[in-house]
Amino acid sequence: MAADAVGGRSAAPAEPAPRGTAGARARAALAASWNRVYWLRGRHLALSPWAVDVCFAVGLFVLLGALSHGAVRAHPVPLLTAQAGLVLPLAWRRRAPLVAFGCVAAAALGQWLADQRLPADLALLIALYTVAANRDRARALGAFAVLEGGILLATVRWSPAEHRVGTFVSLSGLAVAALVIGSNMRGRREHMAFLEDRAVRLERERDQQAQLAVAGERARIAREMHDIVTHNLSVMVALADGAVFAQPTAPERASAAMQQVGVTGRQAITDMRRFLGVLRDDEPDALRHPQPGIGQLAGLAGQVRAAGLPTRLEITGEPSVVPAAAQLTAYRLVQEALTNTLKHAPAGTRADVRVACTTAAVTLSVADDGNGTVPAPPASGGASGHGLPGMHERAAAYGGRLTAGPQPGGGWRVEAVLTLTTPEAM
């Protein structure tokens, strides 16, 4: 086999190693190692800021030492000590910017006293930048003033007299650049934090607005369903009771009452389909069945007359100048008021409905000559009704007012004014 390999002839493929052999264990160990590497990559491992600063300080120390290797070789102990005092405090530059800057400045002062010139003075600019990027403007200006004092001392001691002004201006320009860049970084960080906080607040407000919109829509649906179901059922109950009493003596009147029950039931179904069709975009009937308005009050009055409540309707003004939503509100208010009269007024009660329409407001009044009774309030802990509270909410939506109460001469009166110049009406 060895001869074949040396001679260049291809060797026969080796048989796969059985499970449990050294080769299989090696392959399994290699696969496990690769899986571990990919798992670590998936974890998005990153060094902490403290570790990054330590690596930066050590790397800068090594780099600056290499740049000044000639001087370090001649005087290793003092120069390496001074360089360590200048560079190594940068490991704490983000954890304690002012402390790091103070240590670097103190080392630079010692260097000046010892009359040692090192490229490690670059650490002063880095420390100033860190103070400006992580602390407020007052502390940054204080650190800048300290560095300017050091620049002045270094210029006077080490720069020739004819070049001192240029040297001082150049070094001061570097200090100003470090201060400005650090301040801009701090401003950008604060701006990003502000934008993030604003995004969080806007998201929270959006969720709150959505919850309020859902609650408002649920209340509106509850009011509409209450008005539709309660009114039509009240009329149907009154017609059915009348038919029962009229059956022995006037079968034809009982038959007419039951026919009216059918008409009212079909009207209730139509109203329900119309309302649900408005809620559903894919319902074609929503386009063919407009919501009721002031023009349908005549049919409403005829419906309650057939249920046994004589009703007189008077409409003044031009209903066409009233928006459709305001007309629906006026219709529902009249409907609810007549339904309450039909349910709670004694036999023989008469109702009087007046509606006045202008471009500025809709004024309506529903009065009866009954005994002035109203529904009993719900028991403690029970669900509140949608009658009078719902009527008040409908009127308030148009910036109007609604009053309901007994009349001095007997009976009950509901009055409402819908303002059409409010933003809700527009």
Side-chain angles (χ1 to χ4, degrees):
M1 184 65 71
D4 292 342
V6 173
R9 295 190 299 271
S10 60
E15 293 294 332
R19 296 183 60 183
T21 63
R25 289 196 297 270
R27 286 193 297 271
L30 182 60
S33 299
W34 278 110
N35 292 335
R36 181 66 175 175
V37 169
Y38 281 106
W39 180 82
L40 290 175
R41 291 179 60 185
R43 299 283 293 178
H44 302 288
L45 293 180
L47 294 176
S48 65
W50 159 249
V52 171
D53 291 340
V54 170
C55 294
F56 173 77
V58 173
L60 185 62
F61 179 84
V62 174
L63 177 62
L64 294 176
L67 292 177
S68 58
H69 65 280
V72 171
R73 185 179 302 172
H75 306 283
V77 175
L79 293 183
L80 289 178
T81 302
Q83 182 172 306
L86 288 169
V87 175
L88 295 184
L90 296 179
W92 289 271
R93 65 188 188 94
R94 279 190 285 187
R95 303 185 75 179
L98 291 174
V99 174
F101 179 83
C103 293
V104 175
L109 179 60
Q111 171 200 359
W112 181 82
L113 292 175
D115 194 15
Q116 297 174 346
R117 300 177 64 179
L118 292 171
D121 291 330
L122 176 66
L124 287 165
L125 298 176
I126 299 174
L128 176 61
Y129 161 81
T130 306
V131 172
N134 294 276
R135 292 297 181 263
D136 56 33
R137 182 175 300 175
R139 290 180 172 84
L141 290 177
F144 174 76
V146 171
L147 181 55
E148 279 293 296
I151 291 175
L152 180 60
L153 292 176
T155 302
V156 171
R157 184 160 195 172
W158 291 319
S159 179
E162 64 274 11
H163 299 299
R164 284 177 181 174
V165 175
T167 302
F168 179 78
V169 171
S170 300
L171 294 178
S172 297
L174 293 176
V176 170
L179 176 67
V180 171
I181 295 174
S183 299
N184 289 340
M185 182 61 67
R186 178 175 58 85
R188 180 182 179 186
R189 190 182 300 119
E190 292 177 351
H191 182 65
M192 292 299 297
F194 169 76
L195 292 180
E196 291 177 0
D197 179 69
R198 183 182 179 186
V200 171
R201 287 188 285 106
L202 289 177
E203 185 176 359
R204 187 182 302 114
E205 292 176 2
R206 182 197 63 189
D207 295 340
Q208 293 175 351
Q209 291 295 332
Q211 294 175 359
L212 291 176
V214 170
E217 186 66 13
R218 291 178 62 183
R220 187 185 72 84
I221 293 174
R223 288 196 302 267
E224 292 290 334
M225 296 295 291
H226 170 269
D227 292 340
I228 293 173
V229 174
T230 303
H231 171 76
N232 288 287
L233 286 181
S234 298
V235 171
M236 293 172 67
V237 169
L239 290 171
D241 290 342
V244 171
F245 285 109
Q247 179 65 30
T249 57
E252 66 284 355
R253 294 182 59 185
S255 177
M258 294 308 299
Q259 290 178 358
Q260 187 62 35
V261 168
V263 172
T264 304
R266 286 189 291 271
Q267 180 63 36
I269 294 175
T270 300
D271 290 342
M272 292 287 292
R273 292 190 61 188
R274 179 190 301 127
F275 179 68
L276 297 178
V278 171
L279 296 180
R280 294 179 54 187
D281 295 334
D282 58 347
E283 176 61 50
D285 287 344
L287 302 177
R288 296 197 292 266
H289 297 289
Q291 293 289 338
I294 296 176
Q296 283 70 43
L297 288 178
L300 178 66
Q303 193 178 48
V304 295
R305 287 193 200 99
L309 176 63
T311 304
R312 187 173 71 90
L313 175 64
E314 178 182 347
I315 300 177
T316 59
E318 183 56 46
S320 61
V321 301
V322 181
Q327 291 199 38
L328 174 62
T329 299
Y331 180 91
R332 294 302 187 201
L333 291 176
V334 173
Q335 183 184 52
E336 180 64 23
L338 291 177
T339 301
N340 289 337
T341 300
L342 188 63
K343 290 195 299 183
H344 303 289
T349 300
R350 296 178 177 273
D352 190 6
V353 179
R354 292 186 175 89
V355 180
C357 303
T358 65
T359 57
V362 176
T363 305
L364 58 92
S365 170
V366 180
D368 64 72
D369 56 0
N371 58 7
T373 58
V374 293
S380 176
S384 59
H386 295 277
L388 290 178
M391 296 171 71
H392 282 287
E393 292 176 3
R394 288 183 183 276
Y398 280 86
R401 62 184 184 276
L402 183 140
T403 58
Q407 301 187 85
W412 190 266
R413 176 181 293 274
V414 175
E415 293 181 340
V417 177
L418 307 179
T419 304
L420 302 182
T421 57
T422 59
E424 293 83 352
M426 296 179 179

